[in-house]
Amino acid sequence: MQHHSSPSQEGATLPRALLIAFHFPPQSESSGIQRTLSFSRHLAQFGWTPMVLSAHPMAYERKNASQLASLPPELIVRRPLALDAKRHLGWKGRYLQLTALPDRWISWWLFALPCALAMVRKHKPAVIWSTFPISTAHLIGLCLHRLTGLPWVADFRDPMLQSDFPSNRWQRKLFGWIERLAIRHCTHATFTTQGALESYRARFPQALHHKFVVIENGYDEQTFAQEPHACALPGQPGQTRPLTLVHSGVLYTEGRDPSAFFQALAMLRARGLVDAQRLRVILRAPGDLDYFTQLAQRCGVIDLVHIAPPVPYRQALHEMLEADGLLVFQGRPFNRQAPAKIYEYFRARKPVLGLLDLEGETAGMLRSAGFPDLVEMTDPEAIAPVLTRFLRAIADGTAHVASEALVAASSRTHRTRQLAELFTQSLP
């Protein structure tokens, strides 16, 4: 499956950038598609013609074909075969570990490398860019760089090696090997947070530190512009619906566990401060719907909390715009990361309640942005008063929202300008 056409005459005069990304439309499971998609949509504004090497859609467990409409019509996209070791090479979910090292899509490398070389011969890109968290993407970028000598920007986003990831010994060894070679040979290495960058400074020699650059995630203004402006007015006379809080995205049993939040909700209801007529919490696409539904039932808050299935991206954005407040869960295992949704939360111009490890990157971002309602996510006794204060501020119209300066600086267009400047710096 391919989506491509000839570039415009104007675009043909610009230097080309070859973007290597596993997560790309029509894949719909990872928010990571938005980073590559936004770069492919906006790079031409800043002097670069992008083209994309991605994977055949059969590699994706979940797909949304409607996302293909968001690709620029002139964008060249190639999709070589990629097999998922679990689904295509296994039996009833069981598969040989060897077929999934360094990740389940290592077969992509076999088909992508000759495809990438053909793209280089035909279209003569001036720079290569590859993006993690699929480590095979960096393996393709590394091999292509070594074979062609083209400058290579390795986008790590978050650290490849973390304290508890990967947990498999052989996968961890291969991740470390790819990471070391990538840092040694790339022209620049980019990260989405300063904390991630600092972790690489701590682990790699000072002579390599000049390569490290932060290009944060962001929101796509074009997608928001297609949604009607929403501005909820909770607490006003005649209000008939409950005040609504939304968390959009995956939760986990560790690091993004809502258990303490549920317990705090139960405490507030026992005190008569909240009930289903006054408050509704939506956890949109948290992952295991049955698990989180049962958790809400055990905590006695199933009437307050709606565990909701995934919806298309634009529908999820619309839900954020309609909400009265937004929730973010980001605990200690993710202290060097900031969820991409934070920037969408800024653009939605809504109050944000941070359930966090207070020493983490996300807490620092929200604190710097002026959001006061940040609390340790594992402590229900601490959450209850902060949640009460948050709800009260929303109701009386005094809750903090992102400044216009922060909103402007958080756009993916701004991030693409940074990447284009980095590409230019990478040229010999």
Side-chain angles (χ1 to χ4, degrees):
M1 179 176 178
Q2 300 185 51
H3 178 97
H4 69 276
S5 63
S6 298
S8 65
Q9 190 65 35
E10 179 183 354
T13 65
L14 301 177
R16 293 185 184 274
L18 174 55
L19 311 183
I20 302 170
F22 180 84
H23 295 125
F24 199 67
Q27 195 267 357
S28 66
E29 192 171 6
S30 170
S31 62
I33 69 168
Q34 300 303 325
R35 187 168 175 87
T36 306
L37 178 58
S38 67
F39 290 155
S40 70
R41 288 165 68 169
H42 301 308
L43 271 169
Q45 299 177 42
F46 304 109
W48 286 85
T49 297
M51 55 184 183
V52 177
L53 176 73
S54 189
H56 193 283
M58 71 179 291
Y60 305 141
E61 199 160 357
R62 295 196 179 101
K63 297 181 281 288
N64 181 0
S66 67
Q67 293 177 335
L68 294 171
S70 60
L71 301 185
E74 71 278 7
L75 181 67
I76 295 172
V77 183
R78 295 292 182 267
R79 305 179 186 275
L81 186 66
L83 302 176
D84 180 344
K86 179 180 178 180
R87 293 186 297 119
H88 301 131
L89 304 177
W91 176 254
K92 294 184 177 181
R94 298 176 65 86
Y95 52 94
L96 290 175
Q97 183 185 63
L98 188 63
T99 66
L101 293 174
D103 55 56
R104 285 163 38 195
W105 300 274
I106 182 58
S107 60
W108 183 34
W109 176 83
L110 294 172
F111 301 99
L113 190 56
C115 182
L117 287 169
M119 295 177 79
V120 169
R121 285 194 298 269
K122 181 175 181 180
H123 300 292
K124 297 179 172 55
V127 67
I128 303 162
W129 176 89
S130 61
T131 186
F132 183 72
I134 300 301
S135 57
T136 295
H138 278 344
L139 190 59
I140 296 166
L142 171 67
C143 293
L144 191 60
H145 162 73
R146 299 291 284 166
L147 289 169
T148 65
L150 289 170
W152 172 35
V153 177
D155 183 43
F156 285 87
R157 291 155 61 170
D158 301 319
M160 283 188 72
L161 292 178
Q162 300 181 46
S163 60
D164 58 350
F165 180 83
S167 57
N168 177 280
R169 181 166 65 98
W170 290 106
Q171 188 179 30
R172 192 172 183 85
K173 284 180 177 292
L174 279 173
F175 267 46
W177 176 73
I178 293 170
E179 180 187 63
R180 289 191 300 274
L181 288 176
I183 294 297
R184 183 190 309 167
H185 292 290
C186 72
T187 311
H188 292 288
T190 56
F191 308 92
T192 57
T193 68
Q194 188 64 33
L197 184 151
E198 294 298 338
S199 73
Y200 276 71
R201 281 183 175 164
R203 291 196 294 115
F204 285 91
Q206 188 172 358
L208 299 173
H209 292 184
H210 69 280
K211 297 183 176 189
F212 302 160
V213 179
V214 172
I215 298 181
E216 296 181 43
N217 281 313
Y219 70 88
D220 193 319
E221 180 59 38
Q222 183 176 343
T223 307
F224 271 93
Q226 295 168 352
E227 298 297 333
H229 178 70
C231 184
L233 296 172
Q236 302 301 314
Q239 177 178 333
T240 57
R241 68 170 180 82
L243 186 149
T244 302
L245 306 181
V246 169
H247 176 273
S248 188
V250 177
L251 297 171
Y252 306 109
T253 56
E254 184 178 355
R256 291 184 187 167
D257 182 358
S259 298
F261 175 68
F262 288 175
Q263 293 167 28
L265 282 176
M267 291 164 58
L268 294 186
R269 185 172 53 188
R271 298 170 190 168
L273 297 176
V274 300
D275 56 42
Q277 285 69 47
R278 289 180 285 174
L279 178 65
R280 176 177 172 83
V281 177
I282 299 173
L283 302 185
R284 174 65 62 186
D288 189 334
L289 299 181
D290 290 339
Y291 171 81
F292 290 109
T293 298
Q294 293 168 12
L295 179 63
Q297 288 172 336
R298 288 199 303 272
C299 293
V301 293
I302 193 62
D303 59 328
L304 298 176
V305 179
H306 177 53
I307 310 298
V311 293
Y313 180 61
R314 286 178 181 165
Q315 190 174 335
L317 290 184
H318 183 74
E319 187 170 56
M320 291 181 202
L321 290 168
E322 291 291 335
D324 300 304
L326 301 171
L327 306 174
V328 57
F329 294 86
Q330 193 82 334
R332 186 176 298 275
F334 305 107
N335 269 4
R336 295 192 183 277
Q337 305 174 26
K341 71 170 69 66
I342 284 289
Y343 306 96
E344 293 162 352
Y345 283 11
F346 291 164
R347 172 56 181 81
R349 297 177 174 88
K350 297 291 181 179
V352 177
L353 173 63
L355 299 130
L356 314 158
D357 181 281
L358 296 179
E359 301 301 316
E361 189 82 23
T362 305
M365 286 178 56
L366 290 171
R367 197 177 292 118
S368 297
F371 289 92
D373 299 307
L374 312 179
V375 63
E376 171 56 54
M377 66 171 293
T378 61
D379 186 348
E381 295 285 348
I383 293 171
V386 175
L387 177 56
T388 301
R389 182 180 70 199
F390 182 67
L391 297 175
R392 186 181 300 120
I394 293 175
D396 63 22
T398 62
H400 180 79
V401 299
S403 68
E404 291 305 311
L406 178 62
V407 170
S410 300
S411 73
R412 289 194 187 270
T413 304
H414 178 72
R415 311 302 189 210
T416 307
R417 180 194 297 272
Q418 294 175 297
L419 182 64
E421 291 171 352
L422 197 63
F423 284 170
T424 302
Q425 293 172 23
S426 302
L427 296 179

